[in-house]
């Protein structure tokens, strides 16, 4: 026979003297015992101790309790403890509530008013428990496979970590090769490791991993479902080259009549329509860029097909749409540099010898267009005076981006230092606002650039950059001396602001993931949940979440992978049941609740439906519902109103 | 009305305001005991109706404590609350109830002192306004 009348037990904790030293605990128990619905009330020295918990468990059985109130410390301390104890004694854990009479009573008040408030607080919680229903966490199965979007260092690291934990990974990269921006870099700060040398082994490992399926030249089209059970549509663009047959002989490239700017070299060199982005590209194959190829439609050029000995080129290749199921998703879509067109004041885009940081990386790179010799784009001369401008487009809320791009202080010091190594008689100038070198061995690295390499650091902003004959003139101000500075340079390198890679916001919309004002993917909590998106089961890695250097990106990728593995390895997913719920007979289907929800948990057809796995339980939709159809499990309006009345009634303190 | 002790109901979000109140406790910051806290997940769950019912049931003031704008655990709950309380303030004024009796307070989990100070200020404000109910709230 189910109990129809509430039988509540109240357990008042002394917490040694922490509570009992201020609050008359015996009086609280005595007073609350006379409250309607309460059949048992007692007090004990340490309720959280084993004997204290046993006392609660015994009372649950002996008094056939239908609800328990523990008047003790903050629920953040021991709510879980007492809920578990109650469950062991056969009481549904969601029928246990904590009345906080320590942090919010005994520690902040004194004397009789403290006891009076403790009684009121306990009584409000007794009212709540009387309205609580037994709940069970929702359970759902998990697809044991992950999707990683983006094949830069972050995506590669996340994919490797998840795969090494024993789960399948689909790694989607939109360009023809994985590697991302790190593949373009020359050397990395502060150790001056060769970037490709440390990256390519990881690329190979990802490509060869038995549990990683690499989908390059592919993009995520659509995502539906929820944590543990996502359905993903991926569009795989045709490369027109069969990677199984291509032997990288490169004959096709030589005969291709097309020359277009080479993206990998940031336009500092050209490439054929059929190309391989860089020699170590993975997948290790040529890609025919259909947009620039003369052969596909309407007239066949076909020169590459003629010379391809292994017959790897197939003009009839079509794009494929793949449907996959995954349990967790890691977004590692990376960054791009703030566009040239936006920096007219620095002559960027109009003066050929004004270039950005990634272009300079290509000039420094041994595999770059100049084979590592620093030659300026306009005439190929070795520049003898180079000006580096930091915060170009960053920290400039009036004209450009308000935020600090974080990596530029370091890579500019590296650029200047590598330039001095390559051109020992050259002079490097760095304009800076201030130096932000927070990171292991970073400050030391910048000091080395300043002191040992005789790089001239000028504190101040550059006002204007323009061309005068063969020179690029830089006008700036030295804010330390208050003097105007003019440098007649041969080359200017702009440390452009870091922005999210193109398409980030579009992808975020497909995944119902939030973007911040500047378009970077937003984490669930800036401090406590930095790896997670707000949508459960979606994790963030690397510069897509905000400007980051390589070690930080790798660390975040491994963290995101660990989070994904926690989902993939769970036997089933449990989700707190204290969430919103629709009373369908009251719902008019107006849909006011839908935009309230930051998690996309509500859908509306005839009536509203809450996906209880997606709902995080804020209750904002409940407060918005005009017809009272949206309710909140165990925080019903009726419960709150009873709590409010109990809080305001004259306390029966037994005097 | 020198002996007037305002009665306050405080709806506190669990992630910020209630955690801030807990920190006030951990730091042993004393403040007046007039408010009875009711913990909710998010200030966004607080319905204006609850506030009105609390005032009807004898409260002289109602405090709603949430995360600072931009810091809501549920992203935007506190923004919704801010709009709702803004409208409620207008409604209360129309009904002849001083809007100052309903206070929205942003308190982070690290702001124990701000919570205690806010309680003192709110109490002083309510003492200045006097009892909402003619009989001093006694039933």
């Amino acid at each position: 026979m189910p109990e129809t009348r509430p039988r509540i037990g109240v357990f008042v904790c002394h917490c040694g003297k922490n509570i009992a030293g201020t609050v008359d605990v015996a009086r609280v128990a005595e007073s609350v015992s006379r409250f309607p619905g309460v059949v048992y009330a007692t007090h004990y020295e340490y309720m959280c101790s084993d004997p204290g918990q046993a006392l609660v468990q015994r009372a649950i059985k002996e008094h056939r309790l239908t609800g328990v109130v523990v008047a003790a410390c903050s629920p953040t301390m021991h709510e879980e403890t007492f809920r578990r104890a109650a469950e062991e004694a056969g009481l549904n854990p969601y029928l246990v509530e904590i009345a906080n009479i320590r942090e919010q009573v005994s520690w902040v008040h004194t004397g009789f008013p403290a006891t009076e408030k403790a009684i009121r607080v306990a009584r409000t919680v007794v009212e709540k428990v009387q309205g609580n229903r037994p709940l069970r966490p929702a359970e759902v199965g998990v697809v044991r496979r992950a999707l990683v979007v983006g094949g830069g260092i972050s995506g590669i690291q996340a994919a490797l970590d998840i795969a090494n934990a024993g789960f399948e990974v689909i790694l989607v990269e939109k360009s023809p090769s994985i590697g991302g921006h790190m593949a373009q870099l020359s050397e990395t700060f502060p150790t001056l490791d060769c970037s490709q040398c440390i990256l390519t082994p990881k690329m190979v490992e990802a490509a060869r991993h038995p549990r990683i399926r690499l989908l390059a030249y592919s993009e995520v089209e659509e995502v539906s479902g929820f944590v543990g059970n996502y359905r993903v549509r991926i569009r795989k663009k045709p490369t027109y080259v069969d990677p199984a047959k291509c032997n990288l002989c490169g004959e096709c490239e030589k005969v291709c009549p097309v020359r277009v700017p080479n993206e990998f070299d940031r336009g500092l060199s050209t490439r054929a329509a059929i190309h391989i982005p860089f020699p170590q590209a993975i997948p290790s194959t040529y890609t025919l860029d259909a947009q620039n190829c003369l052969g596909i439609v309407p007239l066949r050029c076909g020169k590459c097909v003629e010379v391809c000995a292994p017959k790897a080129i197939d003009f009839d290749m079509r794009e494929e749409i793949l449907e996959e199921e995954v349990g967790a998703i890691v977004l590692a879509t990376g960054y791009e540099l703030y566009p040239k067109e936006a920096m007219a004041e620095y002559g960027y885009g109009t003066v050929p010898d004004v270039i950005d940081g990634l272009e300079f990386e290509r000039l420094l790179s041994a595999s770059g267009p100049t084979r590592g010799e620093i030659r300026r784009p306009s005439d190929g001369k070795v520049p003898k005076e180079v000006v580096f401008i930091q915060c170009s487009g960053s920290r400039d809320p009036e004209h450009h981006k308000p935020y600090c791009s974080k990596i530029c202080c370091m890579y500019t010091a590296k650029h200047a230092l590598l330039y001095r190594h390559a051109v020992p008689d050259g002079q490097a100038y760095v304009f800076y606002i201030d130096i932000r070198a927070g990171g292991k061995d970073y400050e030391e690295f910048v000091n080395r650039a300043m002191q040992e390499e005789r790089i001239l650091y000028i504190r101040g902003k550059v006002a204007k950059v323009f061309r005068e004959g063969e020179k690029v003139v830089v006008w700036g101000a030295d804010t330390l001396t208050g003097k105007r500075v003019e440098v007649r340079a041969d080359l200017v390198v702009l440390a452009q602001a870091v922005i999210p890679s193109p398409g980030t916001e579009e992808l975020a919309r497909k995944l119902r993931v939030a973007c911040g004002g500047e378009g970077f993917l937003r984490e669930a909590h800036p401090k406590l949940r930095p790896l997670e998106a707000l949508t459960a089961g979606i994790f963030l890695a690397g510069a897509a979440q905000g400007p980051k250097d390589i070690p930080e990106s790798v660390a975040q990728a491994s963290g995101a992978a660990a989070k994904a593995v926690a989902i993939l390895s769970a036997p089933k997913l449990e989700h707190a049941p204290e969430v919103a719920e629709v009373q369908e007979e009251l719902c008019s289907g107006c849909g006011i609740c839908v935009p309230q929800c930051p998690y996309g948990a509500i859908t509306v057809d005839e009536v509203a439906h809450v996906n209880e796995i997606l709902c995080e339980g804020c209750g904002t939709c409940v407060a918005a519902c005009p017809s009272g159809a949206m309710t909140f499990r165990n925080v019903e309006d009726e419960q709150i109103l009873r709590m409010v009345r109990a809080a305001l009634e004259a306390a029966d303190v037994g005097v | 009305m020198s002996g007037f002790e305002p009665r306050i109901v405080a709806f506190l979000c669990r992630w910020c305001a209630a955690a801030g109140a807990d920190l006030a406790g951990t730091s042993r910051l004393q403040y007046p005991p007039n408010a009875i806290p009711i913990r909710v997940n998010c200030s966004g769950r607080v319905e204006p109706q609850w506030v009105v019912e609390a005032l009807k049931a004898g409260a002289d003031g109602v405090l709603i404590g949430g995360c600072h704008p931009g810091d809501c655990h549920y992203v935007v709950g506190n923004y919704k609350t801010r709009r709702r309380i803004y409208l409620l303030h207008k409604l209360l004024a129309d009904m002849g109830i001083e809007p100052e009796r309903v206070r929205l307070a942003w308190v982070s989990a690290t702001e124990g002192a701000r919570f205690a100070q806010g309680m003192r200020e709110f109490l002083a404000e309510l003492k200045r306004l006097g009892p909402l109910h003619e009989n001093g709230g006694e039933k």
Side-chain angles (χ1 to χ4, degrees):
Chain A
M1 266 290 288
E3 289 285 345
T4 47
R5 292 164 65 102
R7 299 178 60 82
I8 310 297
V10 183
F11 303 84
V12 184
C13 181
H14 299 195
C15 194
K17 280 198 157 157
N18 279 309
I19 294 170
T22 313
V23 169
D24 185 342
V25 284
R27 188 173 269 190
V28 174
E30 200 274 327
S31 173
V32 173
S33 72
R34 281 183 274 119
F35 201 65
V38 176
V39 296
Y40 180 75
T42 190
H43 55 94
Y44 184 72
E45 202 171 0
Y46 287 106
M47 210 58 90
C48 62
S49 66
D50 277 356
Q53 291 183 51
L55 185 156
V56 176
Q57 291 179 316
R58 219 167 32 245
I60 289 172
K61 290 175 187 158
E62 281 175 15
H63 298 275
R64 304 191 322 278
L65 299 181
T66 60
V68 163
V69 173
V70 182
C73 52
S74 166
T76 55
M77 311 296 288
H78 280 301
E79 185 177 77
E80 195 58 38
T81 310
F82 290 109
R83 285 189 166 179
R84 218 175 300 146
E87 192 169 26
E88 284 170 15
L91 184 71
N92 184 284
Y94 297 94
L95 301 173
V96 177
E97 295 280 356
I98 305 288
N100 182 349
I101 61 165
R102 191 178 73 174
E103 282 84 348
Q104 295 181 12
V105 179
S106 71
W107 279 351
V108 287
H109 310 310
T110 49
F112 180 70
T115 301
E116 199 205 357
K117 181 172 167 184
I119 293 168
R120 285 179 194 271
V121 169
R123 278 173 47 172
T124 59
V125 181
V126 167
E127 285 295 344
K128 177 174 192 311
V129 171
Q130 294 198 36
N132 274 15
R133 287 179 292 152
L135 301 175
R136 300 184 78 81
E139 286 180 2
V140 62
V142 185
V143 178
R144 302 196 190 284
R145 185 182 304 120
L147 169 73
V148 176
V149 186
I153 183 59
S154 304
I156 291 172
Q157 185 65 45
L160 284 172
D161 284 355
I162 296 168
N164 286 336
F167 299 97
E168 284 175 42
V169 179
I170 301 169
L171 176 57
V172 173
E173 164 58 44
K174 75 176 168 188
S175 68
S177 171
I178 58 171
H181 285 308
M182 190 175 166
Q184 295 175 302
L185 306 184
S186 54
E187 288 164 30
T188 57
F189 61 79
T191 50
L192 301 183
D193 278 297
C194 153
S195 186
Q196 285 206 336
C197 310
I198 55 176
L199 173 67
T200 49
K202 278 196 182 286
M203 291 167 60
V204 173
E205 194 187 343
R208 293 230 174 113
H209 203 292
R211 282 184 292 275
I212 296 178
R213 193 167 147 215
L214 175 57
L215 297 175
Y217 217 35
S218 302
E219 287 185 59
V220 172
E221 280 271 295
E222 199 185 307
V223 178
S224 57
F226 50 88
V227 54
N229 298 272
Y230 284 107
R231 290 186 65 82
V232 192
R233 269 166 67 93
I234 300 161
R235 190 162 60 92
K236 192 172 186 332
K237 294 173 275 189
T239 60
Y240 302 101
V241 179
D242 182 348
K245 290 183 188 162
C246 174
N247 62 7
L248 301 173
C249 66
E251 292 302 320
C252 52
E253 195 174 16
K254 290 180 199 155
V255 298
C256 179
V258 176
R259 299 316 284 181
V260 292
N262 181 344
E263 302 86 350
F264 190 76
D265 282 338
R266 307 278 297 178
L268 293 176
S269 69
T270 59
R271 63 162 174 85
I274 190 159
H275 67 290
I276 183 162
F278 52 104
Q280 306 93 324
I282 288 194
S284 184
T285 181
Y286 274 76
T287 297
L288 194 151
D289 150 24
Q291 239 178 350
N292 293 305
C293 175
L294 304 174
I296 289 188
V297 272
L299 268 174
R300 293 203 164 194
C301 146
K303 286 199 168 98
C304 54
V305 180
E306 285 161 25
V307 298
C308 183
K311 307 218 175 301
I313 300 169
D314 173 11
F315 280 164
D316 295 325
M317 201 180 267
R318 291 286 165 263
E319 73 170 29
E320 292 172 65
I321 300 288
L322 307 168
E323 299 259 358
E324 298 290 346
E325 290 194 338
V326 296
I329 300 174
V330 176
L331 299 179
T333 49
Y335 73 96
E336 189 42 74
L337 291 184
Y338 192 50
K340 314 177 175 210
E341 295 72 25
M343 301 307 297
E345 65 268 44
Y346 290 169
Y348 193 6
T350 53
V351 183
D353 294 323
V354 175
I355 62 175
D356 71 16
L358 278 173
E359 287 168 356
F360 195 66
E361 290 288 344
R362 294 315 296 150
L363 291 183
L364 288 169
S365 173
S367 66
T370 55
R371 303 267 149 219
E373 277 181 46
I374 298 174
R375 293 183 177 278
R376 63 183 202 173
S378 64
D379 54 10
K381 275 190 189 157
V382 176
K384 295 292 181 192
E385 289 198 279
V386 180
V387 171
F388 296 88
I389 302 176
Q390 293 195 173
C391 299
S392 175
S394 298
R395 302 177 68 192
D396 189 351
E398 276 114 51
H399 307 103
H400 302 292
K401 299 292 173 186
Y403 53 85
C404 166
S405 292
K406 199 169 181 182
I407 58 175
C408 331
C409 284
M410 289 309 297
Y411 79 61
T412 298
K414 178 195 74 176
H415 282 170
L417 187 147
L418 292 177
Y419 164 71
R420 290 270 303 130
H421 288 186
V423 186
D425 61 336
Q427 178 62 54
Y429 304 84
V430 177
F431 280 90
Y432 69 103
I433 299 180
D434 38 38
I435 298 296
R436 297 181 169 180
K440 196 175 177 183
D441 297 332
Y442 285 11
E443 180 72 14
E444 295 88 327
F445 183 80
V446 175
N447 281 338
R448 178 180 159 195
M450 285 180 175
Q451 289 156 17
E452 290 173 28
E453 304 294 343
R454 294 189 300 108
I455 294 157
L456 192 59
Y457 270 74
I458 302 164
R459 187 172 195 271
K461 270 222 119 160
V462 170
K464 198 175 173 184
V465 176
F466 58 95
R467 198 175 189 179
E468 205 176 277
E470 285 197 350
K471 292 285 184 185
V472 187
V473 184
V474 178
W475 278 357
D478 182 336
T479 53
L480 292 180
T481 60
K483 288 194 177 126
R484 248 191 68 181
V485 181
E486 181 185 298
V487 182
R488 300 178 65 78
D490 300 307
L491 180 69
V492 172
V493 182
L494 303 183
Q496 286 294 91
V498 170
I499 60 170
S501 68
T504 302
E505 284 194 78
E506 196 190 331
L507 182 70
R509 260 198 306 280
K510 286 176 188 164
L511 282 109
R512 300 185 308 274
V513 167
C515 283
E518 299 299 335
F520 291 104
L521 298 174
R522 196 157 72 185
E523 62 282 2
H525 189 281
K527 290 160 193 76
L528 301 178
R529 294 169 73 189
L531 306 171
E532 298 157 70
L534 268 163
T535 311
I538 300 182
F539 305 99
L540 314 177
Q545 184 244 350
K548 252 181 223 75
D549 61 19
I550 294 167
E552 273 190 298
S553 297
V554 171
Q556 196 188 14
S558 286
K563 285 273 175 193
V565 165
I567 287 180
L568 300 179
S569 58
K572 57 192 183 248
L573 292 181
E574 275 200 354
H575 190 76
E578 290 152 312
V579 296
E581 187 175 60
V582 181
Q583 308 301 311
E584 294 191 0
E585 65 280 9
L586 295 177
C587 179
S588 65
C590 70
I592 284 174
C593 47
V594 176
Q596 304 286 320
C597 182
Y599 306 100
I602 308 173
T603 49
V604 178
D605 43 42
E606 298 282 293
V607 293
H609 302 279
V610 174
N611 181 323
E612 63 175 309
I613 304 292
L614 293 182
C615 176
E616 293 272 317
C618 63
T620 305
C621 60
V622 184
C625 178
S627 47
M630 192 65 86
T631 59
F632 197 96
R633 289 183 190 152
N634 289 355
V635 192
E636 306 290 351
D637 286 355
E638 184 53 33
Q639 283 175 285
I640 295 283
L641 297 184
R642 285 175 63 170
M643 291 173 83
V644 165
R645 282 194 286 270
L648 294 167
E649 262 173 40
D652 171 10
V653 293
V655 274
Chain B
M1 292 307 295
S2 59
F4 168 56
E5 281 300 332
R7 294 179 177 195
I8 304 170
V9 173
F11 296 107
L12 306 180
C13 90
R14 70 185 294 172
W15 304 102
C16 294
D22 280 356
L23 183 63
T26 313
S27 319
R28 309 299 199 277
L29 300 170
Q30 300 289 308
Y31 58 87
N34 301 55
I36 303 300
I38 294 178
R39 193 177 74 141
V40 290
N41 271 2
C42 179
S43 63
R45 173 74 187 94
V46 175
E47 302 194 17
Q49 183 75 19
W50 299 356
V51 178
V52 174
E53 292 288 345
L55 294 175
K56 258 169 69 182
D60 298 294
V62 176
L63 183 104
I64 298 125
C67 308
H68 283 275
D71 288 349
C72 178
H73 184 80
Y74 303 100
V75 199
V76 292
N78 53 2
Y79 291 130
K80 314 280 184 198
T81 310
R82 187 161 66 180
R83 292 185 200 175
R84 288 167 189 162
I85 299 305
Y86 174 79
L87 288 176
L88 180 66
H89 276 157
K90 296 192 166 233
L91 208 64
L92 289 175
D94 285 350
M95 293 194 297
I97 296 173
E98 299 89 343
E100 296 84 1
R101 291 183 185 277
V102 177
R103 178 176 284 213
L104 194 54
W106 308 131
V107 181
S108 84
T110 59
E111 293 177 330
R114 183 182 163 95
F115 181 85
Q117 182 59 25
M119 272 296 175
R120 283 191 286 268
E121 284 170 14
F122 191 34
L123 192 78
E125 172 90 61
L126 291 174
K127 284 195 170 171
R128 188 182 64 76
L129 291 172
L132 177 60
H133 302 263
E134 276 181 4
N135 56 3
E138 293 300 326
K139 291 199 172 173

